[in-house]
Amino acid sequence: MSAPTGASGPREPVRRPARTARTRAKLFDAAITLLGERGPAHVSIDEIAAAAGVSKGTVYYNFSSKADLVAKVLESGVDLMEERLRSIPDGSDPVDRVADMVGRALEFLAEYPSFTRLWMSEMWRPASQWQTELSALRDRLLSLIREGLQAVARVHDVDPAVPVEQLAVTLMGSTMFAGLSRDNHGPALERDTAVAVVMTAVRGWVRD
Amino acid sequence: MSAPTGASGPREPVRRPARTARTRAKLFDAAITLLGERGPAHVSIDEIAAAAGVSKGTVYYNFSSKADLVAKVLESGVDLMEERLRSIPDGSDPVDRVADMVGRALEFLAEYPSFTRLWMSEMWRPASQWQTELSALRDRLLSLIREGLQAVARVHDVDPAVPVEQLAVTLMGSTMFAGLSRDNHGPALERDTAVAVVMTAVRGWVRD
Amino acid sequence: MSAPTGASGPREPVRRPARTARTRAKLFDAAITLLGERGPAHVSIDEIAAAAGVSKGTVYYNFSSKADLVAKVLESGVDLMEERLRSIPDGSDPVDRVADMVGRALEFLAEYPSFTRLWMSEMWRPASQWQTELSALRDRLLSLIREGLQAVARVHDVDPAVPVEQLAVTLMGSTMFAGLSRDNHGPALERDTAVAVVMTAVRGWVRD
Amino acid sequence: MSAPTGASGPREPVRRPARTARTRAKLFDAAITLLGERGPAHVSIDEIAAAAGVSKGTVYYNFSSKADLVAKVLESGVDLMEERLRSIPDGSDPVDRVADMVGRALEFLAEYPSFTRLWMSEMWRPASQWQTELSALRDRLLSLIREGLQAVARVHDVDPAVPVEQLAVTLMGSTMFAGLSRDNHGPALERDTAVAVVMTAVRGWVRD
DNA sequence: AATGAATGAGCATTCATTCAT
DNA sequence: CATGAATGAATGCTCATTCAT
């Protein structure tokens, strides 16, 4: 299973970037899987290096520290997820668009269960810890959801007692728990059913 | 702030000298805070012992291993939360009872933010890891929610496309994310508003 | 050869100090030898532990870091040397007392050649590095020499163009180089001859 | 401040492209400073390369190993110092010539404090270590001093109890300590005073 | 002549765990 | 009950060195 190397792209216009890019991709792949399965603390750099087929030194040549590697992996995962959620075609009813977002998110979570677990367990740590702004990553996704909900609020009559901001947070929670639960119990749950379950909240919010 | 040592229940032959009980309480307190703040992997037994004001040996006199300590802490937290959620008076409309549960859960999460964070990041780990049945703990809470929802389904017309089982999972997700978010952003969000936000899902489910 | 564990003494009145004291002594012994022979950078903690017959962890149980160990070794060596130089009986002519000091210093250097080399190579490092005040250690010895010279100046007519302060520094240099040289070329050089050579400077200073 | 690259002499076939020469000079400069400040063990090739503004590979293109670089730096420093001390005009009283040597040495040490510190801390290491013959370097300087002293002995009545050989060693020690001390305490000490202090030993030796 | 990516051995340090007292 | 000294396996990280380009 390939890791969400997403937005890394052709970053440096240097002389021998191909080699580096390949190395990094291999590391991302290996890292995401291991980190997600056992959690950062229970995976050693040695293991990641071995899984990626490079030497330990190479990890440190490409990432400044273990924390940096974890952060970069998390970041690239969120990049990729965001990209997917952003690419939803305009036009349909805002509620359908939110449903689409939820569906795509669930797909993504099913595709990268390791990322999901990793993201889940790091997400709410006091921001300081993995120096990257985990909260910034979180906020990027939350903004996306919020925007979707705001679009809904613009064309529908919604419960004014429910702050969009907060609804976005709970929606994110529902989606992630649904995704993790699906992963845990096998593909028992249809994608559409899962979406329906999560969307229940949106339907309860809209009062038309 | 004291840790949720509460419901450890009459697990051990009660006539354990008082000293032990006090020692354990101190350890639970210290452990819960540190573990929640930084995650089990980033807290050493030394630190916990120091924070509890006992020697390292004492930790091992009272718990068989670090994993055991973490498991016991998690377990006692879930015990306490469960107890609180169970003690909801009968009689009112099932929807109100679910709302009450959500409210109490949010209160609990606010009271023990460290436990919340710890629980959150361990919750979805492949069950093997901390040998305790993390999933068993999860299921105990999920059952509670499920029962609440089933009671709702018994007296209300609910969306048949939404499996109660799954709705319970997403409700748990919403609640925990709401709780964590509240903790992160200060007490900005009123308890009742938070409850309303989470309950949106239930309202969307009920079709009366 | 035993290390200059000197002033460590019965430091802590704790419960089981004997074991600790013995462990530390073994470590000092092993450390001084290895550090002096190859320099701190070329001796690993593993080696020191092995030479002392303890485990690596024990080193860290007793010293907070490698730098700390080096610093403590240096300190205890200087302690011991100072002690020896201080114990010179009063009464004789100040010049003889200085000669006595030089002689004892040379003896000490011959006794602990490893310490000598270590001390020599660390002595003039920019004070910051081994956080201990290396310069403080240096100054302790310099003060001793300076006092000896001042006593000389009090009863003899000395060259006023030569600051005592500076003469002390050069005397220290002569002595250490003489000591190292003696160590390098075997015991070829008699103690008394070596003293005479170093004392040449004092004799040139006194103009009676 | 430029490093004492000076006397590297006509070692390599002179028609080495200018580029190499410049590269080496930059490396010498960077190396001398860093090595002196922190000691060889605490300076990495990366740092030296960076400070010299070249890539790491370039260091290895120009020097066979780190030890080689250190050795070459040391060697070229001693070369330069020796050159300066040799160029003292004949004619005057041998004692004055020795004083002149001491003065020039002190000047040199003040000019290249980094070299001084490096030289000082490596000087007395068991010869094996930096495979260069450190002792050979030392001996070159000692010979110079010895010759100066022998000239003195030829025209003056000197203390026969003091072997010239040994006096040379202590003179070297005095001079280096004086130099280092001057560097440490700022230029507080006049050159001439410093010379006078060191020369005290010679004056004590001459009995006219 | 120079570079930078990759390497892997080496090392300081941490930490759960044991055990004699 | 409790402690603190000791352990040793595990691990993050550094760095001299190599080599294809």
Side-chain angles (χ1 to χ4, degrees):
Chain A
M1 185 226 328
S2 170
T5 338
S8 40
R11 228 154 244 174
E12 287 123 27
V14 270
R15 241 198 325 147
R16 275 156 298 181
R19 203 168 166 208
T20 299
R22 236 179 309 124
T23 300
R24 287 210 180 146
K26 283 188 290 180
L27 278 169
F28 266 102
D29 259 36
I32 233 292
T33 308
L34 290 169
L35 294 175
E37 270 166 10
R38 312 214 296 268
H42 296 96
V43 179
S44 71
I45 291 290
D46 280 274
E47 278 174 298
I48 295 176
V54 300
S55 80
K56 197 200 314 214
T58 300
V59 177
Y60 283 91
Y61 185 76
N62 284 284
F63 300 92
S64 66
S65 67
K66 186 180 184 181
D68 180 44
L69 172 56
V70 174
K72 291 282 202 323
V73 162
L74 238 18
E75 205 184 335
S76 92
V78 172
D79 280 349
L80 188 50
M81 163 128 62
E82 199 185 1
E83 206 176 298
R84 290 232 199 150
L85 300 191
R86 277 208 187 288
S87 66
I88 294 178
D90 249 333
S92 48
D93 181 280
V95 171
D96 293 340
R97 298 196 70 220
V98 170
D100 203 358
M101 261 177 67
V102 169
R104 285 168 186 245
L106 286 170
E107 272 163 20
F108 183 88
L109 299 179
E111 228 168 307
Y112 303 112
S114 284
F115 166 79
T116 307
R117 253 189 273 275
L118 176 61
W119 177 230
M120 185 72 166
S121 65
E122 299 300 323
M123 185 177 235
W124 292 103
R125 247 186 238 303
S128 55
Q129 206 130 43
W130 302 109
Q131 78 277 54
T132 328
E133 308 69 17
L134 270 176
S135 46
L137 291 183
R138 205 171 59 213
D139 289 345
R140 269 167 49 199
L141 293 180
L142 279 175
S143 301
L144 232 61
I145 306 180
R146 199 176 346 112
E147 285 163 25
L149 293 177
Q150 279 160 344
V152 171
R154 251 176 265 121
V155 304
H156 288 287
D157 177 27
V158 301
D159 184 345
V162 171
V164 180
E165 192 79 28
Q166 289 308 313
L167 189 60
V169 171
T170 57
L171 218 56
M172 190 171 173
S174 312
T175 310
M176 292 207 67
F177 270 54
L180 254 358
S181 165
R182 264 185 5 129
D183 183 52
N184 256 21
H185 296 75
L189 192 61
E190 300 289 330
R191 181 202 127 120
D192 287 345
T193 310
V195 172
V197 174
V198 173
M199 288 302 290
T200 302
V202 176
R203 272 193 290 279
W205 181 49
V206 174
R207 303 187 301 180
D208 290 344
Chain B
M1 184 223 330
S2 168
T5 343
S8 285
R11 208 146 278 169
E12 325 275 354
V14 190
R15 252 326 113 219
R16 183 78 60 165
R19 183 136 69 120
T20 299
R22 241 181 302 123
T23 299
R24 283 208 184 165
K26 283 189 290 180
L27 278 169
F28 263 96
D29 256 36
I32 233 306
T33 307
L34 290 170
L35 294 175
E37 272 167 8
R38 309 213 299 268
H42 296 96
V43 180
S44 69
I45 292 289
D46 278 275
E47 277 175 298
I48 295 175
V54 302
S55 81
K56 194 188 337 202
T58 302
V59 177
Y60 281 88
Y61 184 80
N62 284 282
F63 300 92
S64 68
S65 69
K66 186 182 184 180
D68 179 43
L69 172 56
V70 174
K72 292 280 201 327
V73 162
L74 238 19
E75 206 184 333
S76 91
V78 171
D79 281 348
L80 187 51
M81 164 126 63
E82 199 184 1
E83 195 180 312
R84 290 234 200 147
L85 300 192
R86 278 208 186 290
S87 66
I88 295 179
D90 251 333
S92 48
D93 181 279
V95 171
D96 292 340
R97 297 196 70 221
V98 170
D100 203 359
M101 262 178 64
V102 170
R104 286 167 185 244
L106 286 170
E107 271 163 21
F108 183 86
L109 300 179
E111 227 169 308
Y112 303 111
S114 283
F115 167 78
T116 307
R117 255 190 271 273
L118 176 60
W119 177 228
M120 184 73 165
S121 65
E122 299 300 323
M123 183 176 238
W124 292 102
R125 244 186 241 302
S128 56
Q129 211 135 36
W130 302 108
Q131 79 276 55
T132 331
E133 312 67 17
L134 270 177
S135 47
L137 290 183
R138 205 171 58 213
D139 289 346
R140 269 167 49 201
L141 293 181
L142 279 176
S143 300
L144 232 60
I145 306 179
R146 196 173 351 106
E147 285 163 23
L149 292 178
Q150 279 161 343
V152 171
R154 252 175 264 118
V155 304
H156 288 287
D157 176 26
V158 301
D159 184 345
V162 171
V164 180
E165 191 77 29
Q166 288 308 313
L167 189 60
V169 172
T170 59
L171 217 56
M172 189 171 172
S174 310
T175 309
M176 293 206 66
F177 270 53
L180 253 359
S181 167
R182 262 180 14 125
D183 182 51
N184 256 23
H185 296 73
L189 191 61
E190 300 291 329
R191 182 201 124 119
D192 287 345
T193 310
V195 171
V197 174
V198 174
M199 288 302 290
T200 302
V202 177
R203 273 194 291 279
W205 180 51
V206 174
R207 302 188 300 179
D208 291 343
Chain C
M1 184 225 329
S2 170
T5 338
S8 39
R11 228 153 246 175
E12 287 122 28
V14 269
R15 239 192 334 141
R16 276 156 296 181
R19 203 167 166 210
T20 298
R22 236 179 308 123
T23 300
R24 288 210 178 147
K26 283 190 289 179
L27 278 169
F28 266 103
D29 257 35
I32 235 292
T33 308
L34 290 170
L35 295 175
E37 270 167 9
R38 310 214 298 268
H42 297 94
V43 179
S44 71
I45 291 290
D46 279 273
E47 280 174 298
I48 295 175
V54 302
S55 80
K56 196 198 318 210
T58 300
V59 176
Y60 283 90
Y61 185 76
N62 284 284
F63 301 91
S64 67
S65 67
K66 186 180 182 179
D68 180 44
L69 172 56
V70 174
K72 293 281 203 321
V73 162
L74 238 18
E75 205 184 335
S76 91
V78 172
D79 280 350
L80 188 50
M81 163 127 62
E82 199 185 1
E83 207 176 297
R84 291 234 198 146
L85 301 191
R86 278 208 186 288
S87 65
I88 295 179
D90 249 334
S92 47
D93 182 279
V95 171
D96 293 339
R97 297 197 69 221
V98 171
D100 202 357
M101 262 177 64
V102 169
R104 284 167 187 244
L106 286 170
E107 271 163 20
F108 183 88
L109 299 179
E111 227 169 309
Y112 303 111
S114 284
F115 166 79
T116 307
R117 254 190 273 274
L118 176 61
W119 176 230
M120 184 72 166
S121 65
E122 299 300 323
M123 184 177 236
W124 292 103
R125 248 187 238 301
S128 55
Q129 207 133 41
W130 302 109
Q131 78 278 53
T132 331
E133 308 69 14
L134 270 176
S135 48
L137 290 183
R138 206 171 58 213
D139 289 346
R140 270 168 47 200
L141 293 180
L142 278 176
S143 300
L144 232 61
I145 306 180
R146 196 171 353 105
E147 285 163 24
L149 293 178
Q150 278 161 344
V152 171
R154 249 176 266 120
V155 304
H156 288 287
D157 177 28
V158 300
D159 184 345
V162 171
V164 179
E165 192 79 28
Q166 288 307 313
L167 189 59
V169 172
T170 58
L171 217 55
M172 189 171 173
S174 310
T175 309
M176 292 206 65
F177 270 54
L180 254 358
S181 165
R182 260 180 16 125
D183 182 53
N184 256 22
H185 296 74
L189 192 62
E190 300 291 330
R191 181 201 127 120
D192 287 345
T193 311
V195 171
V197 174
V198 173
M199 287 301 289
T200 302
V202 177
R203 272 193 290 280
W205 180 50
V206 174
R207 302 187 303 179
D208 290 344
Chain D
M1 183 226 327
S2 169
T5 343
S8 286
R11 208 146 281 167
E12 326 275 352
V14 189
R15 251 327 112 220
R16 182 79 60 167
R19 184 137 66 120
T20 299
R22 242 181 301 123
T23 299
R24 283 207 185 164
K26 283 190 290 180
L27 278 169
F28 263 96
D29 256 36
I32 231 301
T33 307
L34 290 170
L35 295 175
E37 272 167 8
R38 310 213 298 268
H42 296 96
V43 180
S44 69
I45 292 289
D46 278 274
E47 277 175 298
I48 294 174
V54 302
S55 80
K56 196 192 329 206
T58 302
V59 177
Y60 281 88
Y61 184 79
N62 284 282
F63 299 93
S64 68
S65 69
K66 186 182 184 181
D68 179 43
L69 171 56
V70 174
K72 291 281 200 330
V73 162
L74 237 19
E75 206 184 332
S76 91
V78 171
D79 280 349
L80 187 50
M81 164 125 64
E82 198 184 0
E83 196 182 313
R84 290 232 200 150
L85 301 192
R86 278 207 185 290
S87 66
I88 294 178
D90 250 333
S92 46
D93 182 280
V95 171
D96 292 339
R97 297 196 71 217
V98 170
D100 203 359
M101 263 178 63
V102 169
R104 286 168 186 243
L106 286 170
E107 272 163 20
F108 183 87
L109 300 179
E111 228 168 308
Y112 304 111
S114 284
F115 166 78
T116 307
R117 256 190 270 273
L118 177 60
W119 176 229
M120 184 73 166
S121 65
E122 299 300 323
M123 185 176 235
W124 292 103
R125 245 185 240 303
S128 56
Q129 209 132 41
W130 302 109
Q131 79 276 57
T132 330
E133 313 66 16
L134 271 176
S135 48
L137 290 182
R138 204 172 58 213
D139 289 346
R140 268 166 50 199
L141 293 179
L142 279 176
S143 300
L144 232 59
I145 306 179
R146 197 171 352 106
E147 286 163 22
L149 292 178
Q150 279 160 342
V152 170
R154 252 175 265 121
V155 303
H156 287 287
D157 176 27
V158 300
D159 184 345
V162 172
V164 180
E165 192 76 29
Q166 287 308 314
L167 188 59
V169 172
T170 59
L171 217 55
M172 189 172 173
S174 311
T175 309
M176 292 206 66
F177 270 54
L180 253 359
S181 166
R182 263 183 8 128
D183 182 52
N184 256 23
H185 296 74
L189 191 61
E190 300 291 330
R191 183 201 123 120
D192 287 345
T193 311
V195 172
V197 174
V198 173
M199 287 301 290
T200 301
V202 177
R203 272 194 291 279
W205 181 50
V206 174
R207 303 188 300 181
D208 290 344

